[in-house]
Amino acid sequence: MPVYALVDCNNFYCSCERVFAPHLAGRPVVVLTNNDGCIIARSPEAKALGFKMAEPEFQARARLKRHNVAVFSSNYALYGDLSARVMSTLSEFTPRMEVYSIDEAFLDIAGMPEEAGRYAARIRETVRKRTGIPVSIGIGPTKTLAKAANKLAKKRPELGGVLDMSSLEGREKLLSGLDVEDVWGIGHRHSKRLKAMGVMTAQDFTRLSREWVLKKMTVVGLHTWLELRGIPCISMEMAPKPKQTIVSSRSFGKPVTTLEEMGEAMTRHASRAAEKLRGEKGLAGAVLVFIQTNNFIEGEPQYWASQSRGLNPPTSHTPEIVCRGREILERIFRMGFRYKKVGVMLSGIESEASAQFSLLPSPGERGKQLMDALDRVNAKWGRETLFVAATGTKRVWSMRQNFRSPRYTTVWGDLPYVTI
Amino acid sequence: MDAQLHTKGIEMLGFDPGEPLELPLLLSTVPAGFPSPSEDYIDQHLDLNEHVVRHPAATFFVRASGESMAGANIQPGDILVVDRALEPASGRIVIAALEGELTVKRLRIKSGRVSLEPANPSFKPVEILPDSDFEIWGVVTFIIHKA
């Protein structure tokens, strides 16, 4: 029986900005989308002041000034790098881990020598110490319960960032403190309908009949219902879409040992992720690649690594994403291991509409055909045999990023200064 | 490497395990009478990262500015390798967040009193009081100084 721990970074982008700028502790911080259009992340202080997610910057400008809010352009090179550091720190705590989004991962901590809550507290401390990023951890027998526990841990600071719902005891009471719309997998539409019926909390939802849930909310809703009752049925493939992130990864049928094979698999995942991204009419600000060995084989040398690269300007262009992915893979790949998995994550996703220029025609059927043709030609004749001239190395335009913090961890010229 | 350090805008991940800076290590003795191709002299490659980075996910680089640590061989412009995974012990050079600023000093813990010591007689040590806004940010493990 797995014991799931969902680790989620607190206000991730704002926390990243604070790692190298300790004077921002306690001060309200917001991060803006590409081109400084809208608010995409808020520190707790900024939330308390009433700044809304996706609020346009020009509307909030006067209030941001008045409250002395620290305003940042999005800095995906930094966020991606810190995400990779958080993930690789987490990977030391369990052989069974699933990267879910740029700031979340599921860990299976069954069979650890320490009691789950204490183990989670140690994970939390270690991540904070090593990377500077504060996280919250929810624990449960299913992913949905782990998610719910995480939500509650964030809402109730007195819990110290960890809530363990792995035992039945007290679970009902906790679930009645969770708004039904905050349940993982219950969308806005369903929660409105549920509330109209008087189903206000996660606990109310578990009391509905199985038949009703299946009829009105399909098998997806039924899975959520079962999971809240402690019956695991959501695999990673079936998990609801993470926010602003696309992950594509799969375990290999048999162990892989060569860079060549890993490269092929990585390319497939990168292409698939890019295709999904174009389907959503989105652009990604960073790409992260992670690789891992098979942790279930006792006595084999283990290796887990991930690194990230910023995409500037943000793009949905397959060759560009594959290219960056290859660069990362070549850096983190080590000979002498039997790999089980490679994954690609696109993060910092924003809509094409918010970009200054779309580098590609909107991906209708023709755009897709073009991309397919590109991929095929490049696969056959080598990387970047064909590429869209608009993505050339000379950027004739650049994004508006008036408030971007330095890329502290990825550019020599941007290293943080410390006074002696 | 020196050239790199002073080039602006190189995309470089906080620490880079996959692009070893390989320096051939030549074996000093060659058995006489067995002519061997030159690559046999090269026993292994040394990767500087292995020497300076123990905890990749917790290692950051920062650049020093100011004069207060001259006695500890830290000059303005030097790059410091900072490992956040290490326990800060008395006598170690640390990066501390003090009153919202990152600073480099030697940590002293004596009978429960914590202070940050400069390594330059023209500067004074700073005692950390219970109500100081203070946190150890990381432990300095290497100083990269251009010769």
Side-chain angles (χ1 to χ4, degrees):
Chain A
M1 284 299 281
V3 176
Y4 288 110
L6 176 78
V7 182
D8 184 357
C9 303
N10 302 348
N11 319 296
F12 183 54
Y13 296 170
C14 295
S15 297
C16 290
E17 296 294 350
R18 282 177 169 163
V19 170
F20 299 93
H23 66 274
L24 295 174
R27 193 176 151 196
V29 176
V30 301
V31 175
L32 305 175
T33 53
N34 288 324
N35 289 318
D36 299 343
C38 309
I39 294 175
I40 195 173
R42 303 157 297 155
S43 71
E45 301 80 3
K47 285 177 190 170
L49 288 168
F51 291 99
K52 294 277 174 284
M53 198 65 177
E55 190 174 348
E57 184 270 338
F58 71 89
Q59 276 180 20
R61 196 171 298 166
R63 276 178 300 128
L64 290 165
K65 237 190 166 62
R66 193 165 63 239
H67 293 292
N68 189 23
V69 177
V71 178
F72 290 96
S73 305
S74 42
N75 184 349
Y76 294 123
L78 176 69
Y79 311 151
D81 181 59
L82 288 169
S83 171
R85 290 165 181 268
V86 169
M87 297 300 169
S88 82
T89 304
L90 293 176
S91 75
E92 293 178 24
F93 284 91
T94 172
R96 298 171 300 277
M97 158 171 161
E98 290 168 349
V99 176
Y100 180 58
S101 76
I102 190 168
D103 56 0
E104 292 169 281
F106 286 99
L107 277 55
D108 179 358
I109 55 170
M112 294 298 162
E114 241 169 314
E115 183 264 326
R118 263 209 305 277
Y119 196 60
R122 209 151 60 81
I123 293 174
R124 190 168 170 269
E125 246 162 77
T126 308
V127 173
R128 172 83 177 80
K129 179 168 187 285
R130 294 190 175 200
T131 67
I133 301 291
V135 302
S136 302
I137 303 182
I139 303 164
T142 67
K143 286 180 177 155
T144 307
L145 281 169
K147 262 296 224 193
N150 183 286
K151 259 279 191 278
L152 291 164
K154 277 203 162 81
K155 279 208 165 98
R156 296 172 41 186
E158 75 276 10
L159 295 170
V162 175
L163 176 60
D164 181 359
M165 290 213 299
S166 51
S167 80
L168 259 173
E169 204 186 329
R171 196 187 290 163
E172 288 193 6
K173 192 165 171 296
L174 286 164
L175 288 179
S176 52
L178 185 69
D179 193 316
V180 75
E181 70 181 85
D182 286 340
V183 173
W184 196 44
I186 296 187
H188 183 66
R189 199 169 49 89
H190 280 307
S191 67
K192 257 174 72 172
R193 176 202 227 158
L194 289 164
K195 283 185 174 173
M197 298 166 36
V199 177
M200 301 313 236
T201 68
Q203 181 53 24
D204 297 343
F205 179 69
T206 61
R207 289 211 193 91
L208 292 167
S209 82
R210 183 190 183 114
E211 292 68 32
W212 188 92
V213 173
L214 181 60
K215 203 169 104 202
K216 302 281 188 208
M217 296 173 67
T218 73
V219 76
V220 177
L222 183 64
H223 281 158
T224 303
W225 183 85
L226 287 165
E227 285 237 327
L228 279 177
R229 296 169 136 241
I231 300 154
C233 45
I234 294 182
S235 66
M236 237 23 218
E237 290 69 43
M238 293 157 75
K241 225 169 64 64
K243 53 182 189 293
Q244 300 151 8
T245 312
I246 292 174
V247 183
S248 175
S249 85
R250 181 170 293 157
S251 297
F252 299 122
K254 59 175 182 39
V256 167
T257 54
T258 66
L259 178 58
E260 196 185 359
E261 274 183 285
M262 290 288 275
E264 282 170 12
M266 191 286 303
T267 303
R268 269 200 308 281
H269 288 305
S271 307
R272 210 173 59 205
E275 197 176 303
K276 272 193 210 163
L277 179 65
R278 291 196 295 272
E280 294 175 15
K281 297 202 176 354
L283 299 172
V287 53
L288 179 142
V289 175
F290 59 92
I291 57 179
Q292 65 190 101
T293 50
N294 193 341
N295 319 61
F296 288 103
I297 305 176
E298 289 289 316
E300 274 211 355
Q302 301 295 342
Y303 179 58
W304 198 99
S306 81
Q307 268 194 15
S308 137
R309 282 232 126 158
L311 298 165
N312 196 355
T315 182
S316 63
H317 189 59
T318 300
E320 171 86 7
I321 291 167
V322 168
C323 225
R324 294 289 156 276
R326 274 214 83 92
E327 285 170 13
I328 300 169
L329 182 65
E330 281 164 17
R331 290 186 155 174
I332 60 180
F333 181 84
R334 287 268 186 284
M335 282 303 282
F337 292 103
R338 287 150 54 85
Y339 292 95
K340 173 177 180 263
K341 199 177 205 174
V342 58
V344 174
M345 179 171 81
L346 300 176
S347 60
I349 294 172
E350 301 182 3
S351 85
E352 275 177 10
S354 75
Q356 200 161 343
F357 291 101
S358 168
L359 296 183
L360 285 168
S362 74
E365 200 40 47
R366 274 198 66 209
K368 246 177 80 71
Q369 281 175 354
L370 173 66
M371 277 287 111
D372 286 349
L374 264 176
D375 287 351
R376 279 204 305 274
V377 168
N378 289 330
K380 189 166 175 182
W381 303 103
R383 226 177 337 138
E384 299 221 296
T385 304
L386 276 183
F387 58 94
V388 177
T391 65
T393 46
K394 278 210 172 60
R395 305 282 180 213
V396 286
W397 58 277
S398 65
M399 273 197 304
R400 205 169 63 199
Q401 289 191 303
N402 295 335
F403 320 106
R404 205 201 59 216
S405 51
R407 287 153 300 183
Y408 294 113
T409 57
T410 54
V411 177
W412 283 116
D414 280 8
L415 293 187
Y417 268 96
V418 293
T419 42
I420 306 179
Chain B
M1 171 131 190
D2 277 350
Q4 266 220 340
L5 294 186
H6 294 277
T7 309
K8 294 264 187 230
I10 289 189
E11 268 272 319
M12 147 90 201
L13 288 151
F15 135 79
D16 195 345
E19 283 185 3
L21 173 72
E22 294 191 333
L23 306 168
L25 176 73
L26 296 179
L27 290 181
S28 53
T29 54
V30 183
F34 291 97
S36 54
S38 63
E39 61 262 27
D40 280 3
Y41 297 161
I42 297 168
D43 183 36
Q44 55 166 305
H45 286 287
L46 297 179
D47 176 359
L48 199 53
N49 283 319
E50 279 175 26
H51 180 63
V52 299
V53 179
R54 257 182 56 205
H55 306 101
T59 298
F60 295 86
F61 299 152
V62 302
R63 206 180 282 275
S65 71
E67 304 284 347
S68 78
M69 293 298 281
N73 292 322
I74 301 177
Q75 307 300 337
D78 286 358
I79 290 175
L80 309 176
V81 179
V82 185
D83 190 338
R84 293 183 53 121
L86 300 181
E87 286 308 317
S90 186
R92 299 271 337 220
I93 298 174
V94 298
I95 307 285
L98 181 62
E99 307 301 339
E101 289 285 318
L102 291 178
T103 177
V104 194
K105 294 282 182 290
R106 199 178 290 283
L107 180 70
R108 274 290 165 227
I109 306 170
K110 256 194 271 197
S111 45
R113 294 168 83 101
V114 179
S115 60
L116 294 176
E117 286 180 356
N120 178 338
S122 20
F123 291 80
K124 283 199 164 53
V126 182
E127 178 156 4
I128 305 302
L129 304 165
D131 61 345
S132 300
D133 173 14
F134 168 77
E135 191 187 13
I136 303 278
W137 195 93
V139 176
V140 176
T141 51
F142 286 88
I143 300 156
I144 300 173
H145 177 75
K146 193 169 181 294

